Amino acid sequence: MPNVISQDGSIREDNWVVVPRPAEGESLDIPADQPALIPADLWLAGYEHFTGRQDIGVWFDSHDEPEILEGHVNELPVIAVNFPKFSDGRGYSIGRLLRERFGYVNELRAIGDVLLDQLQFMKRCGFDAYVLRADKDITKAQKCLNFFSQGYQAATDTDVPLFRRRAS
Amino acid sequence: MYVYDEHDRQMAAERVAQFRDQTERALAGELAEDEFLPLRLQNGLYVQRLAPMLRICVPYGMMRSDQLRRLARITRDYDKGYAHFTTRQNVQLNWPALEDVPDILAELAEVEMHANQTSGNCIRNTTTDQFSGVQSDEIADPRPYCEIIRQWSTFHPEFAFLPRKFKVAVNASEHTDRAAIQVHDIGLQMVRNEAGELGFRVHVGGGLGRTPMVGPVIREFLPEMDLLTYLEAVLRVYNRYGRRDNKFKARIKILVKALTPEGFAEKVEAEWQHIKDSPTRLTPEAVQRIQAYFTEPDYANLDNATDLLASQRFEHREFDQWLTHNVDTHKKPGYAIVSLTMKKTGTPPGDVSDKQLEQIAELADEFSFGEIRVTHQQNVVLADVRQDRLLELWQAITPMGFGTANLNTLTDVICCPGGDYCALANAKSIPVAEAIQRQFDDLDYLYDLGNIDLNISGCMNACGHHHVGNIGVLGVDKKGQEFYQISLGGSSHHDASIGKILGPSFARDEMPQVISKIIDVYVDKRTEEETFLDTYRRVGIDPFKERVYA
């Protein structure tokens, strides 16, 4: 069961399972007794079957287009974004688009190669749950989420950039 | 010049604390080498051939005398007593110890300096014309916009892990481009539209390196207030769609080429429609607030010192030469723009000692309102010198080694640190620069040759901007031997172009002779008013080939 870090740095356990994309010709292997995150396009393909279920969420890979879920995002209890390598920054754009453009309000979870020093960026881009890579020291997450007390830009966490705060 | 407020100070201090923590975790083995790599790079720290190298940011090249003095102290306390001005208006230290870097950054933060995003796959220091604010032909002072971009790009949460590095340059002069904007990832040319409103012509996808390209225009007029939202749209398209599978194809120029400039512009336009009215849109108050930091210094009311300078020129022939070459016209009567050349033969281009940094600080205080600008040609500018004090200044700088009257001539070489220092280099670059400087030591001959950009890089990464040199030199490695490939016809100015490769490369000891032959062809073929580049463009590469490979 993964430990999940919240935006405030607190740690909780949960049992969401990430279901990998099935090989060509195979079907999704969704566990019967656990909530599951499935590839977003497959959720859409099985829309009639999946929509409204509180135990089914989706995940995007970093090269996926979140646009495919426009208009449906809030039907999902959890959306996860995979960072295949911590240095792959596409997930930050996906996070902001889901939140700021498509108005997603439920849990946005970072999965994959999630390290301590990237948490601050994920937080600002709308992620509110982080599954840290297992070998990293989860007790340092809170500190790493809070090195900065403010930022220059508007992002998901604030729509008031510093130049507007200075003016007021 | 921009001065930090409590917000800037707080974030600078938090950044130092963060890097201290990251360095401790790296030294304790909690961060793998590849995990620490982007963190240290985004704090300016490379691990190089001989030691780490720290690249300190000089936002758009502006520095105050107290900052120069602090740099001098840092080079003494933590390094070997010298520093290097880079081709992107920054400063590098060549020998700091890794564990000292957090302390160095803390010392820099005390004088409102940092090394943020001077390396790594993020938005780098925004650069501009070193004559900004003091020349008469600019649309508006570009520095406030550079500062606005600096703040927006600093620790931007969405763009800290781009496919590759990302460089923005701004130019405001109508007739010249000293910022080489067309060979940047984004080049912003300040313009006014027919209604007289201020804005930017946007070039995207220029760059040097392995695949040199002149950046096409993707938007003819971007209104001033839309600057940041549009940049954000460009960066988002790049972040999402730029290639990440191959480091050599990851720069935005490859994406722009793949999509075509029109296709890329459409994607940006579509993205921008969503965010153009977001709170990131600038406000007149926000722009004015930053502009207020770049107001004119307290100029005296003067007339041009024409007669005085004429008689001083008559008395001192070398002063006359220096005035002609290293001093430029200022927008204010009675003032002049002085370029201090860091190109004394025998000293690596751009290198300065701690003493020299302090000397420059003193010159700035004494002659130019305490400020200097670093140029991408690796020189230093005193932007506001009284004409009636030019002789005094010239007499002061000559013994310091800053008075070589070779600005923009063949021996005002742009040169990367090369194989002497840099782990990436294939070949040394500094000895080539020096050999050519020695070959062409006759100033009168140099003046007769006129402006020639000679740019030398020790490898494909092109820190010495060789592709846009009128004469470009690239160090290459052939079976462990250092060779040098020559290209001709490059330009980084308004008429930007990428140089053409002349032919097979040469050994280092052949280089001065080869450059002489190239110059001879120019001298033979030129018409009276032609520069080297003009002649090259008229006669083409063949006459040069024939002479050099005869």
Side-chain angles (χ1 to χ4, degrees), chain A residues 3-164:
Chain A
N3 282 317
V4 177
I5 304 162
S6 301
Q7 228 171 9
D8 64 3
S10 62
I11 297 159
R12 62 188 154 86
E13 280 194 359
D14 78 7
N15 55 354
W16 283 90
V17 176
V18 179
V19 178
R21 177 174 295 283
E24 192 84 16
E26 312 249 319
S27 57
L28 270 175
D29 187 16
I30 301 176
D33 52 348
Q34 269 178 292
L37 299 165
I38 64 175
D41 57 313
L42 299 182
W43 181 86
L44 205 58
Y47 181 73
E48 297 300 321
H49 182 60
F50 294 125
T51 187
R53 281 180 61 174
Q54 287 306 298
D55 61 341
I56 298 289
V58 303
W59 65 276
F60 285 104
D61 212 342
S62 65
H63 58 267
D64 290 337
E65 306 257 326
E67 283 84 349
I68 63 166
L69 285 193
E70 188 171 358
H72 296 294
V73 286
N74 286 323
E75 297 166 31
L76 289 152
V78 178
I79 298 179
V81 177
N82 182 42
F83 290 79
K85 182 84 189 104
F86 75 90
S87 54
D88 181 343
R90 288 175 286 192
Y92 302 113
S93 290
I94 296 174
R96 288 194 70 183
L97 289 171
L98 287 169
R99 291 287 194 211
E100 295 171 49
R101 186 150 314 158
F102 309 133
Y104 178 57
V105 296
N106 300 323
E107 182 183 303
L108 184 58
R109 174 178 294 217
I111 59 172
D113 199 27
V114 177
L115 310 183
L116 288 165
D117 292 288
Q118 284 67 41
L119 296 177
Q120 57 166 353
F121 300 122
M122 292 167 179
K123 179 169 108 176
R124 294 214 59 205
C125 290
F127 291 88
D128 55 2
Y130 322 92
V131 181
L132 196 68
R133 204 176 73 190
D135 60 318
K136 293 295 168 189
D137 182 355
I138 201 165
T139 63
K140 293 188 174 165
Q142 187 166 25
K143 177 178 69 177
C144 290
L145 277 163
N146 293 301
F147 277 118
F148 289 93
S149 53
Q150 60 173 328
Y152 282 105
Q153 316 77 6
T156 307
D157 60 340
T158 172
D159 57 6
V160 193
L162 180 56
F163 67 77
R164 287 180 188 264

Side-chain angles (χ1 to χ4, degrees), chain B residues 315-343:
Chain B
E315 280 169 45
H316 306 271
R317 181 167 172 271
E318 290 177 348
F319 175 67
D320 175 41
Q321 288 177 336
W322 177 77
L323 213 52
T324 304
H325 293 277
N326 292 19
V327 180
D328 281 87
T329 310
H330 197 286
K331 67 176 184 186
K332 277 279 165 205
Y335 283 86
I337 308 169
V338 173
S339 296
L340 307 178
T341 45
M342 307 288 131
K343 305 292 172 69

Side-chain angles (χ1 to χ4, degrees), chain A residues 62-67 70 85-94 96-97 100-101 113 115-118 120-122 124-125 133 135-137 140 143-144 146-155 157 159-167, chain B residues 2 5-8 10-11 14-15 17-18 21-22 25 30-32 34-36 38-39 42 150-162 228 232 236 239-242 244 270-271 274-275 278-283 285-286 289-290:
Chain A
S62 65
H63 58 267
D64 290 337
E65 306 257 326
E67 283 84 349
E70 188 171 358
K85 182 84 189 104
F86 75 90
S87 54
D88 181 343
R90 288 175 286 192
Y92 302 113
S93 290
I94 296 174
R96 288 194 70 183
L97 289 171
E100 295 171 49
R101 186 150 314 158
D113 199 27
L115 310 183
L116 288 165
D117 292 288
Q118 284 67 41
Q120 57 166 353
F121 300 122
M122 292 167 179
R124 294 214 59 205
C125 290
R133 204 176 73 190
D135 60 318
K136 293 295 168 189
D137 182 355
K140 293 188 174 165
K143 177 178 69 177
C144 290
N146 293 301
F147 277 118
F148 289 93
S149 53
Q150 60 173 328
Y152 282 105
Q153 316 77 6
D157 60 340
D159 57 6
V160 193
L162 180 56
F163 67 77
R164 287 180 188 264
R165 297 204 300 277
R166 277 170 170 150
Chain B
Y2 187 70
D5 69 1
E6 73 273 18
H7 302 284
D8 299 294
Q10 183 181 42
M11 280 185 271
E14 288 166 347
R15 175 68 156 189
Q18 180 190 37
D21 182 78
Q22 289 168 339
R25 280 186 280 131
E30 292 174 42
L31 277 166
D34 72 314
E35 294 165 6
F36 185 49
L39 308 179
Q42 297 206 15
R150 181 192 76 82
Q151 296 191 15
W152 164 79
S153 61
T154 296
F155 318 140
H156 198 300
E158 188 179 346
F159 306 130
F161 292 92
L162 295 170
L228 295 185
E232 194 142 306
R236 181 169 289 163
N239 190 41
R240 294 184 68 189
Y241 302 109
R244 290 173 186 267
E271 176 59 38
H274 290 290
I275 56 175
S278 73
T280 297
R281 186 166 198 272
L282 285 166
T283 63
E285 298 72 37
R289 188 182 167 279
I290 301 292

Side-chain angles (χ1 to χ4, degrees), chain B residues 149-355:
Chain B
I149 296 168
R150 181 192 76 82
Q151 296 191 15
W152 164 79
S153 61
T154 296
F155 318 140
H156 198 300
E158 188 179 346
F159 306 130
F161 292 92
L162 295 170
R164 200 74 179 82
K165 59 188 171 183
F166 202 92
K167 302 174 181 180
V168 183
V170 188
N171 186 52
S173 163
E174 287 179 87
H175 305 105
T176 46
D177 176 5
R178 292 181 200 87
I181 63 165
Q182 293 182 59
V183 289
H184 278 75
D185 296 287
I186 294 182
L188 298 168
Q189 173 65 44
M190 298 198 74
V191 287
R192 283 193 189 277
N193 65 7
E194 281 167 11
E197 292 155 342
L198 197 59
F200 303 88
R201 185 170 66 236
V202 184
H203 295 258
V204 177
L208 302 175
R210 197 164 290 255
T211 318
M213 267 182 228
V214 172
V217 175
I218 66 152
R219 193 168 227 282
E220 283 294 341
F221 186 80
L222 176 70
E224 177 191 9
M225 296 304 153
D226 294 323
L227 175 64
L228 295 185
T229 53
Y230 195 80
L231 291 183
E232 194 142 306
V234 172
L235 264 296
R236 181 169 289 163
V237 168
Y238 173 53
N239 190 41
R240 294 184 68 189
Y241 302 109
R243 286 183 62 172
R244 290 173 186 267
D245 58 328
N246 180 341
K247 186 182 166 189
F248 300 124
K249 297 194 187 301
R251 293 288 290 271
I252 196 173
K253 60 194 169 189
I254 305 291
L255 177 64
V256 172
K257 197 173 173 212
L259 295 174
T260 75
E262 298 72 29
F264 179 81
E266 270 173 40
K267 256 186 144 45
V268 170
E269 215 56 38
E271 176 59 38
W272 186 47
Q273 287 311 314
H274 290 290
I275 56 175
K276 67 194 289 268
D277 298 315
S278 73
T280 297
R281 186 166 198 272
L282 285 166
T283 63
E285 298 72 37
V287 174
Q288 282 157 16
R289 188 182 167 279
I290 301 292
Q291 279 169 334
Y293 288 105
F294 296 91
T295 50
E296 287 187 355
D298 193 11
Y299 291 124
N301 237 331
L302 301 171
D303 290 324
N304 279 325
T306 317
D307 294 345
L308 175 70
L309 289 174
S311 70
Q312 289 172 338
R313 277 177 186 268
F314 188 74
E315 280 169 45
H316 306 271
R317 181 167 172 271
E318 290 177 348
F319 175 67
D320 175 41
Q321 288 177 336
W322 177 77
L323 213 52
T324 304
H325 293 277
N326 292 19
V327 180
D328 281 87
T329 310
H330 197 286
K331 67 176 184 186
K332 277 279 165 205
Y335 283 86
I337 308 169
V338 173
S339 296
L340 307 178
T341 45
M342 307 288 131
K343 305 292 172 69
K344 195 176 156 85
T345 302
T347 309
D351 271 16
V352 277
S353 68
D354 58 331
K355 291 275 173 319

